[in-house]
Amino acid sequence: MASMLTIQPGQLTLAQLQDIHAGGVALSLDAAARAAIRASAAVVQRAAQGREPVYGVNTGFGKLANQRISESELDTLQLNLIRSHSVGVGEPLPPAVVRLMLALKAASLARGHSGVREEVVDALIAVHNAGLVPYVPSQGSVGASGDLAPLSHMTLALLGEGDMLVDGHRRPAGPLLREAGIAPLKLAAKEGLALINGTQTSTALALHALLRFEPVLEAALVVGALTVDAARGSDGPFDPRIHALRGQPGQIDVAQYYRALLAGSEIRRSHLQGDDRVQDPYCLRCQPQVVGACLDQLRHAALVLLREANAVTDNPLVFAGDEVAMVSGGNFHAEPVALAADAMAVAIAEVGAIAERRIAMLIDAGVSRLPPFLAQDAGLNSGFMIAHVTAASLASENKSLAHPASVDSLPTSANQEDHVSMATFAARRLGAMIDNTAHILGIELLAAAQGVEFLRPLRSSAPLEQVHALLRTHCPPMMSDRYIAPDIELATALVHDGSLARILRTLEDKPALWIPA
């Protein structure tokens, strides 16, 4: 039975969003929110019956805002808006993203500043709780004026006219709503606009990426530490005094993780005396500085996205009880999401970039002092030579994908909407970058474990030996060349699925990662 999560508008936590993203929770609306929803809807109903033009209530949209709509056609106006704006293309958004869209839109409308009836919020929650997933094409939004096309497809499914995604297949929404006992939503004044004007798609996509990348980042710390030992690197660069002098919190926390991961390593103790290397390559000793800076960017992005998840982002906004009760603005502009997603893109790319450099260091016998390309009989065997080439190709691809989406803007709606955020693409492209970085880390995991094999019988620290043993249950050492692509996929699965992250989380006195309360 699903656990119940009560939406308190404006007070969603990242942990709650993580639960919604993962599925298995049912939503309910805090009863205290309903009075504000009703008061807001009453303002819109009065405007709909009045003579003054009010954008989105009795006028056209965008460049057509100067077109007055008669009272008898106001409901049709909203229905036509949804139909005409359902123009998305491409593959459907994943169910986890659509679940977040439904929840975020419900939470936003429930704050009582959008002028919709309670029935609209209840319909969003009912569809979510029935396990129905509106079919939402992934392409077609520029991130202002809101995520119009994807949110229109979501809304069209609620109306019974669109489609649902069922086991990867597209099916008409109407029959599925009836099977679930949900009446198709009928729109009143402003409700169509309120449903599609907002940043819920771009925000959901960015949250999806943030939550997917968390175990990958944790895996990067584990794999990076294993590489330090495989290369017989020093733990001196992780001395807390170094990082305290700089004061960057992410750097301080990452160094603490590395100290905990490497504590007690026999490999480290074996070369404390007589090692003529003065300093390790940057890819080893600068991991706290690089990955820590990435962690700080991700923490900031998490806070921005949490604010946006709790925001009211449609237009015009309703302020019940005020003399000027409906005010047009621009909260639908997703620039905060776009900039956060761009920062995430750079961080994701950099985690992969320094991992690729660590692989290059391991296979270079002149630096690592391990056999060339980690091959026992180099020449006859090529070892990890071309596995590194794959990692290099993925790191390079991420560099292109990391180009900021937010600096691009194409005017739309006959130049009425003349600056847009491109937030939806900014967030959507993060998925491919995360997969690339996870594959790089999977290759590094194989290479670092191979390096440790050449140092036996010495053993690494207890947590890193646990990592090594976990990998070996799936992938044996590669002492002669063999078909290695399946091993890369198995190692990458350990990066993606949280297996390495769980080992990291067992460490004592570990700092929190980036999920704020």
Side-chain angles (χ1 to χ4, degrees):
M1 184 175 179
S3 60
M4 184 62 68
L5 190 159
T6 300
I7 293 176
Q8 295 180 299
Q11 299 180 50
L12 286 169
T13 67
L14 208 51
Q16 289 175 323
L17 295 171
Q18 192 170 28
D19 289 341
I20 296 166
H21 176 266
V25 297
L27 305 178
S28 65
L29 179 63
D30 186 354
R34 293 189 176 273
I37 298 172
R38 288 193 292 268
S40 169
V43 171
V44 171
Q45 292 306 310
R46 287 195 297 272
Q49 295 163 8
R51 296 184 177 182
E52 293 297 318
V54 179
Y55 177 75
V57 175
N58 53 20
T59 72
F61 305 102
K63 197 76 168 183
L64 300 176
N66 60 344
Q67 301 295 314
R68 185 68 183 269
I69 310 301
S70 66
E71 185 176 347
S72 64
E73 295 179 311
L74 295 187
D75 291 355
T76 303
L77 172 70
Q78 299 300 312
L79 179 58
N80 285 347
L81 175 71
I82 303 305
R83 289 169 170 167
S84 67
H85 285 48
S86 296
V87 293
V89 299
E91 294 298 311
L93 292 175
V97 173
V98 180
R99 281 195 297 271
L100 282 171
M101 287 170 59
L102 291 165
L104 295 182
K105 180 55 76 173
S108 178
L109 298 180
R111 287 191 62 179
H113 292 283
S114 301
V116 305
R117 296 164 298 142
E118 293 172 82
E119 290 93 321
V120 177
V121 179
D122 291 338
L124 289 159
I125 292 174
V127 167
H128 174 279
N129 290 350
L132 296 175
V133 178
Y135 187 97
V136 180
S138 57
Q139 294 172 279
S141 174
V142 296
S145 174
D147 291 314
L148 297 173
L151 289 171
S152 292
H153 282 277
M154 181 191 78
T155 303
L156 201 64
L158 270 63
L159 302 180
E161 293 192 14
D163 298 305
M164 298 288 184
L165 186 65
V166 181
D167 297 328
H169 299 286
R170 187 173 186 168
R171 291 179 54 188
L176 293 170
L177 290 174
R178 287 194 294 273
E179 289 174 17
I182 300 172
L185 181 63
K186 296 187 182 300
L187 299 173
K190 192 186 178 292
E191 290 179 343
L193 183 61
L195 280 160
I196 71 171
N197 214 207
T199 63
Q200 285 75 33
T201 301
S202 51
T203 303
L205 280 163
L207 285 167
H208 178 59
L210 183 79
L211 296 171
R212 282 191 69 222
F213 191 58
E214 182 179 17
V216 176
L217 179 63
E218 290 175 298
L221 300 177
V222 172
V223 176
L226 187 62
T227 297
V228 170
D229 244 11
R232 287 167 287 185
S234 171
D235 56 2
F238 311 131
D239 188 314
R241 295 171 296 179
I242 295 172
H243 308 287
L245 284 175
R246 195 173 202 182
Q248 297 288 356
Q251 177 179 327
I252 291 169
D253 289 347
V254 168
Q256 183 176 334
Y257 271 116
Y258 277 102
R259 290 195 303 275
L261 285 164
L262 289 161
S265 168
E266 291 179 6
I267 296 172
R268 172 57 181 150
R269 284 199 299 269
S270 73
H271 60 92
L272 281 172
Q273 302 295 328
D275 193 328
D276 60 357
R277 289 177 295 185
V278 178
Q279 293 189 128
D280 292 327
Y282 289 1
C283 66
L284 294 182
R285 64 180 153 110
C286 294
Q287 289 184 81
Q289 288 80 3
V290 175
V291 182
C294 295
L295 177 56
D296 282 334
Q297 288 298 308
L298 292 161
R299 285 170 168 169
H300 174 69
L303 291 172
V304 171
L305 296 176
L306 184 57
R307 293 187 203 115
E308 196 72 5
N310 282 296
V312 182
T313 54
D314 61 290
N315 176 63
L317 295 177
V318 178
F319 299 91
D322 290 0
E323 184 176 347
V324 180
M326 293 187 69
V327 184
S328 288
N331 277 2
F332 50 72
H333 199 296
E335 194 77 1
V337 180
L339 291 173
D342 282 346
M344 288 171 64
V346 173
I348 292 165
E350 281 293 88
V351 170
I354 195 170
E356 180 275 327
R357 288 291 81 204
R358 293 193 298 263
I359 299 167
M361 178 274 305
L362 284 172
I363 66 173
D364 185 344
V367 181
S368 69
R369 302 187 182 185
L370 293 167
F373 302 106
L374 302 172
Q376 189 157 16
D377 189 358
L380 176 63
N381 294 298
S382 296
F384 282 78
M385 180 189 296
I386 306 305
H388 167 251
V389 173
T390 296
S393 74
L394 296 172
S396 182
E397 185 176 307
N398 271 356
K399 292 173 186 177
S400 295
L401 288 170
H403 178 80
S406 58
V407 299
D408 185 28
S409 177
L410 282 173
T412 60
S413 193
N415 287 308
Q416 173 73 5
E417 297 159 8
D418 56 358
H419 182 279
V420 297
S421 70
M422 298 298 177
T424 320
F425 169 68
R428 179 167 52 83
R429 62 68 143 89
L430 298 176
M433 298 185 69
I434 292 168
D435 291 339
N436 288 344
T437 295
H439 273 105
I440 295 169
L441 290 167
I443 293 168
E444 185 191 358
L445 175 58
L446 291 167
Q450 182 83 355
V452 169
E453 300 289 351
F454 291 112
L455 305 179
R456 295 302 193 205
L458 295 174
R459 298 184 65 79
S460 186
S461 66
L464 294 181
E465 285 294 336
Q466 189 179 352
V467 172
H468 190 276
L470 176 63
L471 177 67
R472 288 293 175 248
T473 63
H474 301 279
C475 308
M478 194 175 76
M479 294 310 181
S480 60
D481 285 351
R482 67 166 189 272
Y483 181 30
I484 195 175
D487 290 40
I488 293 173
E489 292 305 320
L490 289 167
T492 301
L494 298 177
V495 172
H496 261 312
D497 68 13
S499 295
L500 301 183
R502 283 189 287 275
I503 293 173
L504 188 76
R505 293 170 190 174
T506 63
L507 298 175
E508 295 181 1
D509 301 322
K510 61 183 180 299
L513 210 61
W514 71 67
I515 300 295

